[in-house]
Amino acid sequence: MMNRREFLQILAAASAAGFALDSRTLLAAQGGEKLYDLPRFGNVSLLHFTDCHAQLMPIYFREPNVNLGIGGAQGKAPHLVGERLLKAFKVKPGSVEAHAFTHLDFAQAAKTYGKVGGFSHLATLIKRLRASRPGALLLDGGDTWQGSATALWSKGQDMVDAGKLLGVDIMTGHWEFTLGAERVKEIVEKDFAGKIEFLAQNVKTTDFGDPVFKPYVIRQMNGVPVAIIGQAFPYTPIANPRYMVPDWTMGIQDEEMQKVVTEARGKGAQIVVLLSHNGMDVDLKMASRVSGIDAILGGHTHDGVPAPSVVKNAGGRTLVMNSGSNGKFVSVLDFDVRGGKIQGFRYKLLPVFSNLLPADREMAAYIEKMRAPHQARLEEKLAVSEGLLYRRGSFNGSWDQLILDAMLEVKGAQIAFSPGFRWGTSILPGQAITFEHLLDQTAITYPYSTLTDMSGETIKMILEDVCDNLFNPDPYKQQGGDMVRVGGMSYACDPHAAIGSRIQDMRLDGKPIEANKTYKVAGWAPVAEGASGEPIWDVVSKWLRDKKVVTPRKLNEPKLLGVANNPGIA
């Protein structure tokens, strides 16, 4: 087994020689051939993936080097990055798991190991796991029908058909709702009928509070009744345009959740699992307040956490898991249930390496056929990136910086804002940026770019509002994205301060931003109804075509106050 130093020496040698090592050879040296060797345990098995964001093809995806937790969340999963994450979960430095779970040595390791995810490779892994686990249920945590060019152009149909082919049994949602309520209902009532259950106990009608979707189902697995409850993203009408789901209300709804759990137990469920799109911090709080849930398989915040968090509550304990994003991971949760009670469990979060898992022929054929009409448009090379492009991080990512830089130039703005979205694939240094890669960062149904005259007071108010969403000490008042990305101006941020005091020292060209002065601010993805403007991908593609070669981006990040030694910063 290689240690970290030996691993890095091999990577450096391979990089200097200008070629990637054969991933199978390297993985074999690290015991990687046993990665998917997962013996069956118990009699109830749940397979879970979430937040794939419509990525049907294998991709590169870098985990964050900043995932800042404050207050009670500081120093705990999911707010651990880099070496501290490895240490907390006893992951061997320099191992294949270290590459999967952290940003460490990302560009070199990605060249060596190759891409992750891809539905044809995911399909192979799911079939293998199911072969050894009779009756296993495949759960999809949502954010499935959005995030790529083909999903946008087909109104999610490419992913609906892929999910059916993959064998998804149950799913919940979030970005799905940005296709509009009518489209979601059409898919659930027609495409999913008799095949996939779409569950969401917390989505009700605004008029009479009637359930829009089923709250839960009970399935028999090897003689054990198992209840799966769905929880859609609670803040969809705030974080995304309200006009897309005008007649639905959402929310966290602890009391309603407790009623549903109690009802499912009353109907004989011996295992109760919550399929959640709350975000991990919200799941952890919910697990402490609602009793009777055995496990929460969560999504939304894209956290790939190697082991469950065990939360105590009035009824016992609840396991809380989060399964990463972009088709990069599959959770395998096995329970041994005897005499109506859990005797034990096993959990593994498996990274999906496309070089180690052969493509499933049926899924590969479907993907190829679906993409064929769009191939030329998807593969258009816009520019070459000299630096690593990635999105994740509490305050900025190089992909976000590229979008900001493009808006500042093309729009003629002084300041630019870009949403703190967590979806979006990574680009290695020297790789061509295609139109498909750009859509991986921008494919939404409200892509309008704007140029607005904004007062300094309004700018501060916007930054304070988003910052509170990220750093409010109460997880139930957070909405799970990252901080709005800011271009053109500098500022300081104290995450521990109260709302109204977190954003400090805002400056443009070294001069303080004045509350009563007006500035030209570019942005995109407005949630207000009636917004219009050139799609953001047109703005950025124009800029990329002009550049041809994009130099490494210098991140515009705030000066952080009061976070020294926080384990959420590498």
Side-chain angles (χ1 to χ4, degrees):
M1 191 75 78
M2 272 186 274
N3 62 31
R4 180 172 166 75
R5 176 179 284 182
E6 290 166 340
F7 171 72
L8 291 178
Q9 285 172 345
I10 288 175
L11 286 187
S15 181
F19 63 88
L21 292 171
D22 176 74
S23 60
R24 286 183 179 80
T25 304
L26 184 56
L27 283 160
Q30 296 191 62
E33 75 279 4
K34 295 177 182 174
L35 195 62
Y36 304 117
D37 220 359
L38 209 58
R40 180 184 176 184
F41 175 84
N43 50 356
V44 170
S45 295
L46 301 160
L47 312 178
H48 177 248
F49 73 98
T50 189
D51 298 271
C52 74
H53 284 284
Q55 294 302 324
L56 288 174
M57 301 295 288
I59 56 155
Y60 296 114
F61 186 78
R62 176 190 183 272
E63 299 299 327
N65 62 310
V66 182
N67 188 351
L68 200 59
I70 63 159
Q74 183 170 328
K76 297 176 184 173
H79 303 288
L80 298 165
V81 297
E83 305 280 2
R84 278 150 162 160
L85 182 146
L86 299 184
K87 187 175 179 182
F89 292 102
K90 297 181 173 59
V91 178
K92 187 176 174 60
S95 66
V96 63
E97 286 92 350
H99 171 51
F101 291 116
T102 72
H103 69 285
L104 299 169
D105 316 303
F106 178 76
Q108 282 188 325
K111 284 178 186 174
T112 302
Y113 290 129
K115 295 181 178 182
V116 294
F119 261 50
S120 60
H121 307 279
L122 193 60
T124 296
L125 179 57
I126 296 294
K127 284 179 179 177
R128 281 190 194 176
L129 291 166
R130 279 185 147 156
S132 62
R133 288 164 169 77
L137 290 176
L138 177 59
L139 310 182
D140 174 354
D143 280 4
T144 304
W145 310 341
Q146 176 278 334
S148 73
T150 54
L152 181 70
W153 298 336
S154 69
K155 297 181 180 177
Q157 194 65 46
D158 65 330
M159 297 309 301
V160 170
D161 294 338
K164 285 157 62 177
L165 199 55
L166 191 65
V168 170
D169 293 294
I170 297 164
M171 78 174 285
T172 193
H174 167 207
W175 273 91
E176 285 70 16
F177 302 134
T178 64
L179 294 174
E182 291 309 311
R183 176 65 177 141
V184 173
K185 284 197 290 187
E186 178 186 36
I187 290 168
V188 171
E189 291 168 8
K190 294 180 183 175
D191 294 86
F192 278 11
K195 296 180 179 71
I196 299 175
E197 294 279 12
F198 192 97
L199 306 179
Q201 75 83 23
N202 61 329
V203 182
K204 312 275 184 7
T205 59
T206 50
D207 49 10
F208 300 113
D210 295 326
V212 176
F213 306 103
K214 281 186 188 177
Y216 71 99
V217 292
I218 295 179
R219 295 285 180 88
Q220 293 288 330
M221 198 181 303
N222 302 314
V224 179
V226 179
I228 309 293
I229 302 169
Q231 174 90 344
F233 180 52
Y235 295 114
T236 302
I238 300 170
N240 305 101
R242 173 79 190 140
Y243 62 85
M244 291 175 169
V245 285
D247 303 321
W248 297 350
T249 66
M250 298 182 194
I252 294 170
Q253 302 181 15
D254 272 355
E255 290 180 8
E256 288 298 310
M257 179 65 74
Q258 186 65 72
K259 287 177 189 173
V260 173
V261 173
T262 303
E263 182 182 315
R265 289 280 182 195
K267 289 187 177 178
Q270 293 176 9
I271 294 271
V272 175
V273 172
L274 175 59
L275 176 60
S276 163
H277 205 93
N278 279 332
M280 189 161 176
D281 286 329
V282 176
D283 284 337
L284 290 166
K285 181 173 178 179
M286 179 173 273
S288 73
R289 290 163 64 96
V290 177
S291 59
I293 300 173
D294 295 302
I296 300 178
L297 287 162
H300 180 59
T301 38
H302 293 198
D303 302 304
V305 182
S309 297
V310 182
V311 180
K312 291 180 180 176
N313 52 50
R317 63 177 192 168
T318 300
L319 306 172
V320 177
M321 288 138 285
N322 211 277
S323 305
S325 66
N326 288 275
K328 183 178 175 181
F329 295 103
V330 173
S331 275
V332 185
L333 176 60
D334 295 324
F335 285 110
D336 179 16
V337 183
R338 280 174 282 141
K341 295 191 181 304
I342 296 172
Q343 307 298 325
F345 78 93
R346 297 282 186 277
Y347 176 75
K348 187 76 174 176
L349 184 56
L350 292 174
V352 180
F353 284 99
S354 56
N355 281 348
L356 291 183
L357 293 160
D360 177 77
R361 287 183 183 180
E362 188 182 10
M363 184 67 80
Y366 162 71
I367 294 170
E368 186 179 355
K369 183 181 177 183
M370 182 277 301
R371 287 170 60 87
H374 310 290
Q375 207 71 35
R377 194 175 177 194
L378 294 170
E379 291 177 356
E380 182 199 350
K381 291 182 180 177
L382 303 173
V384 171
S385 176
E386 291 184 342
L388 174 67
L389 295 178
Y390 61 90
R391 176 165 265 172
R392 279 300 303 276
S394 294
F395 294 96
N396 207 350
S398 47
W399 249 121
D400 298 298
Q401 189 64 53
L402 184 152
I403 292 169
L404 292 167
D405 294 344
M407 281 196 292
L408 287 167
E409 283 192 39
V410 176
K411 292 281 190 183
Q414 295 169 284
I415 297 167
F417 290 158
S418 189
F421 294 146
R422 290 192 169 192
W423 44 271
T425 59
S426 304
I427 296 274
L428 300 186
Q431 194 178 348
I433 303 171
T434 64
F435 190 65
E436 180 169 24
H437 293 139
L438 175 57
L439 267 288
D440 286 350
Q441 317 299 319
T442 58
I444 62 174
T445 52
Y446 50 107
Y448 319 110
S449 61
T450 57
L451 185 64
T452 312
D453 287 333
M454 215 175 269
S455 70
E457 183 182 26
T458 301
I459 290 168
K460 184 176 193 299
M461 186 181 71
I462 289 169
L463 293 179
E464 287 282 3
D465 185 53
V466 181
C467 204
D468 190 59
N469 163 45
L470 194 58
F471 297 119
N472 191 300
D474 182 354
Y476 279 16
K477 293 177 181 173
Q478 300 168 5
Q479 289 164 27
D482 283 322
M483 183 61 181
V484 62
R485 281 54 169 118
V486 180
M489 62 166 266
S490 63
Y491 70 102
C493 175
D494 181 353
H496 295 281
I499 186 168
S501 305
R502 291 191 182 98
I503 304 299
Q504 303 169 24
D505 196 25
M506 302 190 308
R507 291 177 179 268
L508 183 65
D509 299 325
K511 298 174 184 174
I513 298 275
E514 298 174 36
N516 297 321
K517 193 173 175 182
T518 300
Y519 302 87
K520 287 197 177 299
V521 181
W524 69 284
V527 296
E529 191 166 9
S532 61
E534 191 180 13
I536 186 64
W537 51 77
D538 284 352
V539 174
V540 180
S541 61
K542 189 184 304 177
W543 185 82
L544 286 169
R545 288 186 192 105
D546 286 346
K547 293 283 179 195
K548 294 185 175 59
V549 175
V550 181
T551 54
R553 299 292 94 188
K554 186 178 186 300
L555 293 191
N556 182 42
E557 295 184 289
K559 180 183 178 183
L560 294 178
L561 308 173
V563 296
N565 300 316
N566 189 302
I569 303 177

